[in-house]
Amino acid sequence: MKNRMAVVALLVECLFLVATGVAQTIQVDITPTHSTNHFVPNETLGAGVDRIPAAAIDKDLLQPTLEKVFASGWQPVTYRQNTELAMEAWHWNPNGTWSDPSGKGYFTGSATPTEAIRYSYGYSLPHRGTTRNDGTGNAGYSRLTDGDLNTYWKSSPYLTQRFTGESDSLHPQWVILDLTQNQQVDSIRIAWANPYATRYVVQYWTGDDPIKVQTKGVWETFAHGAVVSGKGGTETIRLSDNPAPIHFVRILMTESSNTCGSHQSADPKLADPRNCVGYAINELYLGTTTPDGAFHDILRHTPDQEQTATYCSSVDPWHEPSDLLTTKQAQVGFDLFYNSGVTRGLPAMIPVALLYDTPENAAAEIQYLKKRNYPISYVEMGEESDGQFMVPEDYGALYLQWATVLHRIDPALKLGGPSFQGVNKDIEVWPDANGKVSWLGRFLDYFKQHGRMSDLAFFSFEHYPYDGCKTPWGTLYDEPDLVNHIMQVWREDGVPPSLPVFITESNLSSAASETYMDMFAGVWLADYIGSFLNSGGNGVYYFHYLPLQMEHGCNDSPGTFGMFTVDANYQIQQPLSQFFTSQLINLEWVQPGAGEHQVFPAKGDIDDGAGHALVTAYAVKRPDGQWSVMAVNRDQQNPHRVRIWFHDQNAQDASFFSGTVELSTFGTNQYKWHPAETRFMAHSEHAGEQSVVANTKGTADPDGPVMHSRQPAGKDAWYDLPAASVAVIRGKIAGK
């Protein structure tokens, strides 16, 4: 019987080798000086909590939901500040004071703890000058082309000499008109509010898109576009002698009248200098002037997304109570955040609003947290300034003002940013006077020029590598190179080697789809985390930690950023592929807790014949003395069999797993997503409904769990990697 079983086993092995080829090798370089990184899991491997529906806050921050979330193994938490993406002022504490005693103006949350804060909200900005950007989506509108002369755009007062201590010409403010296509232009009409620009230029763009591709073109000043003694009121300027085809127009303002606006009180005791600095415009008009002197406007003036689109450099954070448009979405209140248990008692990364807020409000927030004795690991300054189209010098000027105030409260606070939106290449902006276009390089230069590099305790960016609507399987092969490349870019831009680098928000794409629920997402997650740590990253946060409803996503495909599907009451229905991969990373590959891990280079030698590695690997030496290799089989169709060799260049010797190893495997044998069935309707049955609707909900079957096993190790041991899988092989090693 034993002989028959042995023969059967041999036949099975032979069939496997015929199907997969000769066993391949993962080489791990354990030369001590070749270690690429070191990290502590409960400081490094975390997740993010964002603004979510208030109903989700009520359900998600309860037991047993949190216990199911914690089973993923993620440790520290970063509190994501979403209101700035929507161009809103953040009332982190609903209780506070307004700068104008009548109950409006600039809001400062109360630093005095009273009742527990459960929710906090964002207030829209009535002086907004951007129609849409990378955070607002298609909500709200600009006051520059809304057709209402009683409304106006106003720039941030904190970018003026009164607050920066620098000439206004060093922080020029601007507004841009997007005509969507070339149109004949020779004249502009500007209805100024107070304060107005006394010195400015009107320019046109010579390239394709000055917002999305800022180095593929230049701003040229119209022949008669330079104004050196503006008088305010309504100015009509003949920009050129003859009409010319123009797509984008910019007004660049360098000197202000410093005359007080409509919000300024007549009572000198209540005067607020913020109302009297910067620039303000009621409405813009653009077009041509005919020989009879008549001006013909080509812009569309309407208070919605169909207006002629505009962009602006900054926005005054002045607002009033009526600007709270909804309470259905909320930031988690700080008291609920810290007391619910979601932080697991660990220090949390906390944001302060900066792009559309005041330093006083940020200072009050930190004072409140300190009075509550809530532990803070880091403070992230603002949110995605690049996605809000802010130039680096302006962000730097705001950052330093906020840093000065916050460090007066606690000099030990670790401040950082700028929380770049997820990009795969360097962020470039219109060149400065020296021709420099790197956003990050110029931001760092600004700090160095002001002798303030000590105020930057970490550099942060987000990682959303893929277009959510374009994710064929082969895009998985790009992930390690994308991570390694962007990390190299940041260092080349001038990020000091000693400055910690954090990815504070991340997932496949900024747009959801059913790709998130497929095994694709689980395989990607392992490659992403392993690559980031191998490239020297210091902290990474998975997004989104808390369970959320399905969203309408790319290609009319429903998706969720979270690790679970939930019902209408936010009760967890089932875990998704990224939940199980999270367990492999946090509970199997690393040793949970505060022990230091060392990362070493590892590489497989299996490819698809076109230069794509089908098996990637990431190796750590754990504090318990075990070596742990996370192997990712990115081949969606075929299993692979590998040997694992460890090589120390100094010892000139090879080592292998010895004794018994622990294997933890998750792949298509453990998980398969079955997508929703959908149907198309020529016209919606209900107002505002999507034209494609789901008849059934998607579901995973099988749905885990991770498969655990043990097997003998040794020089000739091989390890099976099923198709489209992540496996952790862990144990002790010994020499030949």
Side-chain angles (χ1 to χ4, degrees):
M1 187 67 176
K2 286 184 178 180
N3 289 339
R4 183 178 298 175
M5 292 176 65
V7 170
V8 170
L10 182 60
L11 286 172
V12 170
E13 181 175 350
C14 289
L15 288 172
F16 186 96
L17 291 174
V18 169
T20 64
V22 177
Q24 303 296 306
T25 304
I26 292 174
Q27 297 271 6
V28 182
D29 182 354
I30 61 172
T31 309
T33 56
H34 292 181
S35 174
T36 59
N37 201 357
H38 58 89
F39 67 94
V40 173
N42 68 3
E43 297 176 0
T44 303
L45 298 171
V49 173
D50 202 4
R51 177 160 61 168
I52 58 177
I57 292 175
D58 294 339
K59 303 295 183 180
D60 284 353
L61 296 175
L62 296 173
Q63 304 291 344
T65 298
L66 284 178
E67 288 302 320
K68 293 178 181 178
V69 170
F70 293 159
S72 64
W74 300 113
Q75 294 289 306
V77 171
T78 174
Y79 183 115
R80 310 311 298 151
Q81 205 281 97
N82 180 263
T83 57
E84 295 221 305
L85 296 188
M87 300 186 72
E88 297 172 341
W90 184 28
H91 289 218
W92 59 267
N93 188 345
N95 299 313
T97 57
W98 296 89
S99 58
D100 188 321
S102 66
K104 57 186 177 181
Y106 303 95
F107 183 83
T108 301
S110 174
T112 302
T114 53
E115 68 271 15
I117 304 173
R118 186 173 184 84
Y119 314 105
S120 66
Y121 305 107
Y123 286 62
S124 65
L125 300 178
H127 300 315
R128 170 174 163 174
T130 295
T131 301
R132 69 188 72 91
N133 62 22
D134 289 347
T136 60
N138 294 326
Y141 59 91
S142 165
R143 273 52 175 184
L144 287 165
T145 54
D146 67 347
D148 186 349
L149 284 171
N150 294 311
T151 66
Y152 59 92
W153 162 78
K154 184 173 180 293
S155 65
S156 171
Y158 295 100
L159 292 172
T160 66
Q161 184 172 1
R162 182 181 183 92
F163 294 94
T164 65
E166 302 174 314
S167 168
D168 284 357
S169 63
L170 295 178
H171 296 280
Q173 298 299 289
W174 48 264
V175 296
I176 292 174
L177 286 162
D178 179 359
L179 305 181
T180 72
Q181 62 186 28
N182 283 341
Q183 299 200 44
Q184 296 296 312
V185 170
D186 66 12
S187 301
I188 191 170
R189 177 172 291 168
I190 308 172
W192 292 101
N194 281 311
Y196 56 89
T198 58
R199 184 180 293 269
Y200 62 95
V201 293
V202 184
Q203 304 171 311
Y204 62 92
W205 180 250
T206 64
D208 181 28
D209 189 332
I211 294 296
K212 298 296 186 182
V213 191
Q214 297 193 3
T215 59
K216 303 297 184 181
V218 295
W219 288 109
E220 294 280 3
T221 300
F222 283 96
H224 310 303
V227 177
V228 297
S229 57
K231 305 301 182 185
T234 298
E235 295 183 309
T236 302
I237 306 167
R238 186 71 179 264
L239 297 171
S240 56
D241 295 329
N242 298 296
I246 301 295
H247 188 165
F248 293 93
V249 172
R250 180 174 78 164
I251 304 171
L252 186 72
M253 296 157 273
T254 54
E255 189 175 297
S256 171
S257 65
N258 294 320
T259 48
C260 298
S262 61
H263 300 315
Q264 188 69 331
S265 173
D267 184 348
K269 295 180 180 179
L270 300 178
D272 190 329
R274 290 172 290 191
N275 294 324
C276 309
V277 292
Y279 310 93
I281 298 174
N282 287 116
E283 195 80 5
L284 290 175
Y285 310 87
L286 189 72
T288 55
T289 300
T290 50
D292 61 0
F295 174 78
H296 300 273
D297 182 27
I298 61 173
L299 303 187
R300 178 181 168 94
H301 302 266
T302 179
D304 58 37
Q305 283 288 304
E306 295 305 305
Q307 66 182 183
T308 295
T310 70
Y311 306 95
C312 67
S313 52
S314 67
V315 180
D316 185 357
W318 190 100
H319 59 287
E320 50 190 318
S322 60
D323 293 315
L324 175 60
L325 302 182
T326 180
T327 58
K328 292 182 178 180
Q329 290 268 332
Q331 299 275 167
V332 181
F334 278 128
D335 292 301
L336 179 60
F337 175 73
Y338 273 103
N339 295 325
S340 66
V342 71
T343 66
R344 308 183 83 154
L346 297 170
M349 178 180 285
I350 295 299
V352 294
L354 178 145
L355 309 182
Y356 307 113
D357 219 301
T358 71
E360 293 81 10
N361 194 38
E365 174 194 334
I366 298 301
Q367 289 173 322
Y368 182 94
L369 296 175
K370 286 189 154 301
K371 289 177 181 178
R372 289 289 203 193
N373 294 315
Y374 294 145
I376 302 170
S377 57
Y378 302 94
V379 177
E380 197 167 37
M381 308 281 275
E383 175 74 359
E384 296 185 24
S385 51
D386 57 324
Q388 300 296 299
F389 311 138
M390 181 169 280
V391 297
E393 291 79 13
D394 285 0
Y395 174 74
L398 295 179
Y399 186 112
L400 293 184
Q401 290 176 60
W402 267 243
T404 298
V405 172
L406 296 180
H407 277 152
R408 284 182 192 145
I409 298 168
D410 182 357
L413 284 174
K414 297 177 181 178
L415 313 178
S419 184
F420 283 146
Q421 59 182 347
V423 294
N424 295 325
K425 59 184 180 180
D426 201 10
I427 298 169
E428 295 182 332
V429 290
W430 308 314
D432 63 9
N434 298 316
K436 192 166 187 175
V437 298
S438 170
W439 200 108
L440 180 56
R442 282 167 48 181
F443 169 66
L444 294 171
D445 287 346
Y446 189 85
F447 270 59
K448 294 171 184 175
Q449 292 161 7
H450 291 76
R452 298 287 294 273
M453 278 299 291
S454 60
D455 285 295
L456 187 65
F458 66 90
F459 165 67
S460 65
F461 67 104
E462 299 177 1
H463 186 64
Y464 292 100
Y466 301 147
D467 181 337
C469 302
K470 301 173 183 178
T471 50
W473 189 270
T475 56
L476 277 178
Y477 304 147
D478 300 334
E479 180 59 21
D481 289 338
L482 292 175
V483 173
N484 293 335
H485 171 70
I486 200 62
M487 289 289 285
Q488 181 180 355
V489 165
W490 303 144
R491 295 301 185 189
E492 290 174 352
D493 281 344
V495 173
S498 59
L499 191 71
V501 175
F502 299 149
I503 293 181
T504 50
E505 189 178 306
S506 59
N507 215 308
L508 279 172
S509 167
S510 59
S513 73
E514 286 198 282
T515 303
Y516 273 80
M517 285 78 76
D518 189 66
M519 190 62 210
F520 181 103
V523 173
W524 168 83
L525 182 61
D527 243 351
Y528 156 54
I529 298 295
S531 297
F532 179 65
L533 293 175
N534 192 54
S535 64
N538 304 97
V540 59
Y541 294 86
Y542 172 86
F543 181 86
H544 194 289
Y545 202 24
L546 299 178
L548 295 174
Q549 302 280 357
M550 291 282 189
E551 300 178 11
H552 187 82
C554 275
N555 304 321
D556 288 310
S557 175
T560 177
F561 288 91
M563 298 179 286
F564 306 92
T565 59
V566 299
D567 63 19
N569 200 35
Y570 290 93
Q571 299 304 299
I572 290 175
Q573 294 176 309
Q574 64 177 162
L576 300 172
S577 66
Q578 290 192 340
F579 170 81
F580 296 109
T581 301
S582 298
Q583 288 187 317
L584 281 177
I585 294 167
N586 296 309
L587 306 179
E588 305 298 338
W589 183 51
V590 305
Q591 181 182 350
E596 184 172 275
H597 292 59
Q598 287 182 283
V599 184
F600 289 85
K603 186 176 182 181
D605 57 8
I606 307 171
D607 66 42
D608 66 350
H612 302 128
L614 293 178
V615 173
T616 54
Y618 307 95
V620 295
K621 184 177 182 181
R622 299 169 21 136
D624 60 6
Q626 293 190 91
W627 285 86
S628 184
V629 175
M630 181 165 63
V632 184
N633 182 7
R634 307 187 296 184
D635 190 330
Q636 65 175 324
Q637 303 294 342
N638 303 301
H640 291 282
R641 174 167 288 181
V642 298
R643 291 188 173 92
I644 301 177
W645 293 359
F646 300 84
H647 180 72
D648 184 341
Q649 192 176 76
N650 295 334
Q652 291 293 308
D653 191 18
S655 301
F656 312 91
F657 279 121
S658 63
T660 301
V661 294
E662 303 278 347
L663 274 77
S664 302
T665 305
F666 178 67
T668 50
N669 292 331
Q670 288 75 45
Y671 183 89
K672 183 173 178 58
W673 179 255
H674 302 273
E677 293 181 3
T678 57
R679 61 187 173 89
F680 170 74
M681 299 183 297
H683 299 284
S684 300
E685 295 174 357
H686 307 287
E689 190 175 55
Q690 299 289 343
S691 60
V692 173
V693 297
N695 290 332
T696 64
K697 292 184 177 181
T699 185
D701 184 22
D703 186 32
V706 171
M707 184 180 72
H708 299 283
S709 62
R710 294 184 176 185
Q711 76 171 62
K715 177 181 178 181
D716 297 320
W718 45 259
Y719 307 96
D720 289 339
L721 306 179
S725 69
V726 182
V728 172
I729 305 101
R730 189 177 73 245
K732 303 283 188 176
I733 66 172
K736 290 183 179 178

